[in-house]
Amino acid sequence: MSRRGPRRPGGAGKEGVRVNNRFELIHIEDLEDDPVGNGDRSGCALADSMASGNKARAQHGSTEPRRDAEVAKAVPPEQSHASSKLRKKKKKQKNKKTGTGETSENGLEDIDRILERIEDSSGLSRPGPPLLSSKKHVLYVEHRHLNPDTELKRYFGARAVLGEQRPRQRQRVYPKCTWLTTPKSTWPRYSKPGLSMRLLESKAGLSFFAFEHSEEYQQAQHKFLLAVESMEPNNIVVLLQTSPYHVDSLLQLSDACRFQEDQEMARDLVERALYSMECAFHPLFSLTSGACRLDYRRPENRSFYLALYKQMSFLEKRGCPRTALEYCKLILSLEPDEDPLCMLLLVDHLALRARNYEYLIRLFQEWEAHRNLSQLPNFAFSVPLAYFLLSQQTELPEHELTSAREKASLLIQQALTMFPGVLMPLLECCSVRPDATVASHRFFGPDAEISQPPALRQLVSLYLGRSHFLWKEPATMSWLEENVREVLQAVDAGDPAVELCESRRKVLYQRAPRNIHRHVILSEIKGAVAALPPDVTTQSVMGFDPLPPLDTISSYARPERLSPVSHGNTIALFFRSLLPNYTMEGERPDEGVAGGLNRNQGLNRLMLAVRDMMANFHFNDLEAPREDNPEGEGEWG
């Protein structure tokens, strides 16, 4: 495990200690005077007590292997030799009695037990909430949680998940063992496409990397851009026949397949793109340490961000929120200060769906001091919900449950005071009719939602569209109702905190930064997309590079793109934009009626071409000889 990448430096856990706010939404001067540390640890009695309990259990469990070793030493050599012979005889008799199917099934279970023992001996925790006392970085990623099979095995068992996959692995002819994807026999034979990674510099315990394109890959990239501008989707299919591991082409066709509701092929293309990029990793690039950085301003790096995001979305829809959370942490660790895809707007949702409440609480505690997470509506409401759901776990001690319930009530009242416009839309999404006293009150009435600044309205729409169903439980609604009444009493009593929050809302959230707009476009949540400003919706948004940074760092010159033709095939516009309200230059919105038929016909032709291409790859690659690649042996981390 340790030879796959460099060890995480000891100072990585103190990264980002300075006060900053990359969302550019918060400008509070008095926050700069506060002492800044690695997070406010006050009020963490629940976390500390749970950590001490887990630590005691871990120490108690670690004594068992020592006892086994002592017993083994006490056994005489003759008795040990005789017992080994007896075990061999029993094993032979057992193999004669059982069939091959039963042997393979027991072998799978034995492998799982061996893996668990290895993970325990190396300090890794078993599936479940991470220990709050762990010294690992908050963005530390575990390899085994990047594999959805690990999560699916907890639900359905190892035999149900891996039973049909093991025979197929014998036919693989791929040079590398990867963590992000599992190569498939239906993929074309892998040959280096000209994609590589370079170490730029290492400083302050961090390593900065960048993907690089060879001359051959640059030519493929130019052809891809020409195919996009030519408004002919079949040109991308032709390009993939000659360059089957060109990343941007794979991601673009994946969007087309997803648009046609062919989720299986869309996911397969994204996995192939991830495999192509993982094979290009630098030997020192580590997925797990949280100390490796990729600058989003470089176009070559953006494809990796987008491929990880699309894979994460597929995993969430597939019912693997724990694996999706690990991908979210991975994306966030690549550039946590800038957060180009705004993963902080999503990490809370995935943590709640995965029931990993401790991780969400720990992230909030450590980052609140320098990232002002409570000023984001999703964290303001998700953290108290995590405390409340934690207080519903009966296996915890009574004092911990009481502490979690008190902390949840305090935080939800602060969230309702700061964001009163969230309550009524939340109840509407949950199909809950509010009490007459609440509905008619001026604080939670219609004015609270209408008076929200544009950026805040966008963040609220994003949160409700994504996480409203987490509040539908009757116990959760009852707890929310209790705290709404407490807030109304404070408002009627003239609490000064109410006026302070109102003044902050008027100053803050006037304009959302570009990375939030990029996140909204990738999320495809209708309410949030509709709240995008006109300067974003009227420009061309490329599916393979949505809203590129204004300070892009280009490593090589690209040819100028052709201007679109107003009377061309409208299907090609999908390869230039994924927004449903995008219109071509010189085209009025009401002219899209006749174009809808052409778009569907074009997509159908595209899907037939893609399926034909995949089928041809499948039959040709079975006879292809394996390429000698001594550098590709082993596992990469």
Side-chain angles (χ1 to χ4, degrees):
M1 296 285 290
S2 60
R3 60 181 178 179
R4 298 191 188 109
R7 294 182 179 179
R8 181 179 60 85
K14 300 181 180 179
E15 173 203 352
V17 179
R18 65 186 184 279
V19 176
N20 59 6
N21 180 23
R22 297 297 179 181
F23 289 95
E24 301 176 2
L25 295 177
I26 316 301
H27 304 282
I28 305 176
E29 297 178 356
D30 52 292
L31 286 178
E32 299 177 357
D33 299 331
D34 295 338
V36 180
N38 199 24
D40 184 12
R41 306 298 296 179
S42 61
C44 302
L46 171 68
D48 296 337
S49 60
M50 291 182 60
S52 61
N54 291 331
K55 184 176 181 181
R57 287 192 295 269
Q59 293 176 353
H60 178 72
S62 62
T63 59
E64 295 179 0
R66 296 181 181 176
R67 295 176 182 174
D68 296 338
E70 295 174 357
V71 172
K73 292 180 180 180
V75 177
E78 297 82 1
Q79 185 177 354
S80 175
H81 182 67
S83 61
S84 63
K85 288 184 176 181
L86 181 60
R87 285 196 299 268
K88 290 181 180 179
K89 291 181 179 180
K90 291 182 178 180
K91 185 175 181 181
K92 291 180 180 180
Q93 295 175 358
K94 184 177 181 181
N95 291 336
K96 291 180 180 179
K97 293 180 180 179
T98 58
T100 57
E102 296 179 359
T103 304
S104 62
E105 291 175 357
N106 295 332
L108 288 175
E109 296 177 355
D110 294 339
I111 290 175
D112 293 337
R113 296 192 186 99
I114 294 173
L115 289 176
E116 290 179 358
R117 293 171 186 171
I118 294 175
E119 290 164 357
D120 292 340
S121 61
S122 61
L124 298 178
S125 60
R126 295 187 178 182
L131 299 179
L132 296 181
S133 61
S134 175
K135 296 181 180 180
K136 297 175 182 176
H137 193 273
V138 70
L139 297 180
Y140 181 84
V141 177
E142 296 189 40
H143 277 136
R144 64 194 182 105
H145 287 311
L146 291 174
N147 187 357
D149 292 340
T150 304
E151 185 172 4
L152 293 175
K153 283 192 295 184
R154 298 212 316 262
Y155 302 147
F156 308 107
R159 289 178 292 182
V161 176
L162 300 179
E164 300 179 357
Q165 297 182 8
R166 296 181 61 85
R168 299 179 183 177
Q169 294 179 358
R170 300 175 182 175
Q171 301 178 0
R172 292 194 306 175
V173 292
Y174 297 91
K176 294 183 182 295
C177 295
T178 54
W179 290 106
L180 297 176
T181 58
T182 301
K184 301 178 181 178
S185 60
T186 56
W187 290 359
R189 184 173 61 92
Y190 178 79
S191 60
K192 293 183 178 180
L195 191 64
S196 61
M197 179 182 283
R198 180 167 61 97
L199 174 63
L200 300 179
E201 60 176 345
S202 297
K203 61 180 181 180
L206 302 176
S207 301
F208 297 85
F209 297 86
F211 282 97
E212 288 186 332
H213 295 172
S214 66
E215 294 185 1
E216 179 183 358
Y217 198 94
Q218 291 179 21
Q219 295 297 326
Q221 187 72 11
H222 296 162
K223 292 179 182 179
F224 167 74
L225 296 176
L226 292 176
V228 172
E229 294 296 335
S230 67
M231 296 182 288
E232 182 54 52
N234 290 330
N235 291 341
I236 298 181
V237 178
V238 174
L239 175 61
L240 279 178
Q241 291 178 345
T242 57
S243 302
Y245 286 93
H246 183 259
V247 176
D248 285 342
S249 299
L250 292 170
L251 297 180
Q252 196 70 18
L253 278 183
S254 174
D255 289 334
C257 296
R258 184 170 54 86
F259 188 78
Q260 283 290 93
E261 299 182 356
D262 193 344
Q263 301 294 331
E264 183 178 357
M265 183 174 293
R267 184 172 60 250
D268 184 83
L269 293 171
V270 170
E271 291 178 355
R272 201 204 304 180
L274 282 174
Y275 179 78
S276 177
M277 304 199 79
E278 189 171 0
C279 289
F281 281 177
H282 191 277
L284 298 180
F285 184 80
S286 173
L287 292 171
T288 62
S289 66
C292 296
R293 300 289 183 264
L294 285 176
D295 194 346
Y296 193 80
R297 294 176 299 173
R298 298 180 179 272
E300 297 84 356
N301 295 341
R302 296 174 199 164
S303 301
F304 188 55
Y305 279 88
L306 296 175
L308 289 175
Y309 186 94
K310 295 177 186 297
Q311 177 72 349
M312 176 192 65
S313 301
F314 284 127
L315 290 171
E316 183 186 5
K317 295 177 182 177
R318 190 182 175 186
C320 300
R322 181 64 184 86
T323 311
L325 174 62
E326 212 70 14
Y327 271 81
C328 183
K329 291 162 54 179
L330 174 58
I331 299 173
L332 185 57
S333 69
L334 297 177
E335 201 170 1
D337 290 336
E338 298 294 337
D339 195 10
L341 299 187
C342 264
M343 303 312 296
L344 285 178
L345 300 179
L346 179 60
V347 63
D348 62 297
H349 170 77
L350 295 176
L352 289 176
R353 282 205 58 191
R355 299 180 180 180
N356 203 339
Y357 311 129
E358 291 88 349
Y359 175 77
L360 177 58
I361 293 172
R362 178 192 173 191
L363 178 64
F364 179 76
Q365 291 171 350
E366 295 188 9
W367 283 28
E368 167 63 13
H370 62 278
R371 297 299 288 269
N372 303 325
L373 297 182
S374 60
Q375 302 300 315
L376 297 173
N378 59 309
F379 267 92
F381 283 87
S382 293
V383 173
L385 180 60
Y387 272 110
F388 173 75
L389 295 175
L390 200 61
S391 69
Q392 302 297 302
Q393 298 183 358
T394 57
E395 64 271 12
L396 297 178
E398 185 64 27
H399 69 279
E400 295 181 6
L401 300 179
T402 304
S403 176
R405 183 67 177 258
E406 294 175 354
K407 190 70 174 179
S409 299
L410 175 62
L411 292 177
I412 193 61
Q413 291 176 22
Q414 294 177 358
L416 291 170
T417 305
M418 184 63 189
F419 307 106
V422 177
L423 178 62
M424 300 306 292
L426 175 61
L427 297 179
E428 183 179 357
C429 292
C430 297
S431 302
V432 175
R433 179 177 299 179
D435 186 79
T437 305
V438 178
S440 60
H441 200 281
R442 58 177 179 82
F443 189 72
F444 290 118
D447 293 339
E449 182 180 0
I450 298 175
S451 61
Q452 293 180 132
L456 180 57
R457 189 181 306 113
Q458 188 176 25
L459 292 174
V460 170
S461 300
L462 185 68
Y463 173 70
L464 294 178
R466 175 178 285 153
S467 303
H468 70 273
F469 65 91
L470 299 174
W471 295 81
K472 287 187 175 182
E473 293 295 330
T476 304
M477 274 296 166
S478 177
W479 165 72
L480 179 62
E481 181 182 1
E482 295 175 2
N483 290 277
V484 167
R485 296 187 182 277
E486 293 291 336
V487 172
L488 288 180
Q489 292 179 5
V491 172
D492 295 336
D495 190 345
V498 177
E499 185 178 356
L500 178 61
C501 291
E502 183 178 358
S503 61
R504 287 187 175 184
R505 287 195 304 272
K506 293 180 180 179
V507 177
L508 309 175
Y509 314 105
Q510 294 299 325
R511 170 73 181 181
R514 195 173 181 84
N515 56 347
I516 290 184
H517 293 159
R518 189 181 299 120
H519 178 90
V520 170
I521 292 174
L522 291 174
S523 68
E524 299 180 355
I525 297 177
K526 296 180 180 179
V529 172
L532 286 171
D535 60 335
V536 176
T537 58
T538 55
Q539 63 177 298
S540 175
V541 179
M542 301 295 181
F544 64 92
D545 189 9
L547 295 183
L550 301 179
D551 54 348
T552 296
I553 302 176
S554 300
S555 57
Y556 60 91
R558 295 180 178 180
E560 296 183 359
R561 302 181 181 183
L562 301 176
S563 59
V565 183
S566 59
H567 55 276
N569 183 10
T570 56
I571 168 58
L573 290 180
F574 177 75
F575 292 92
R576 303 184 62 249
S577 172
L578 291 179
L579 285 178
N581 56 352
Y582 172 77
T583 55
M584 196 164 51
E585 296 182 5
E587 180 185 6
R588 297 191 302 271
D590 56 353
E591 294 177 350
V593 177
L597 180 59
N598 293 331
R599 182 172 69 173
N600 292 333
Q601 293 177 351
L603 280 176
N604 291 332
R605 293 196 302 269
L606 171 64
M607 297 303 300
L608 292 175
V610 171
R611 292 189 179 96
D612 181 67
M613 177 189 66
M614 300 292 291
N616 292 334
F617 278 141
H618 173 68
F619 291 110
N620 293 337
D621 292 336
L622 292 179
E623 302 176 358
R626 178 172 181 175
E627 180 182 3
D628 294 334
N629 186 11
E631 300 179 358
E633 299 296 334
E635 297 180 347
W636 291 62

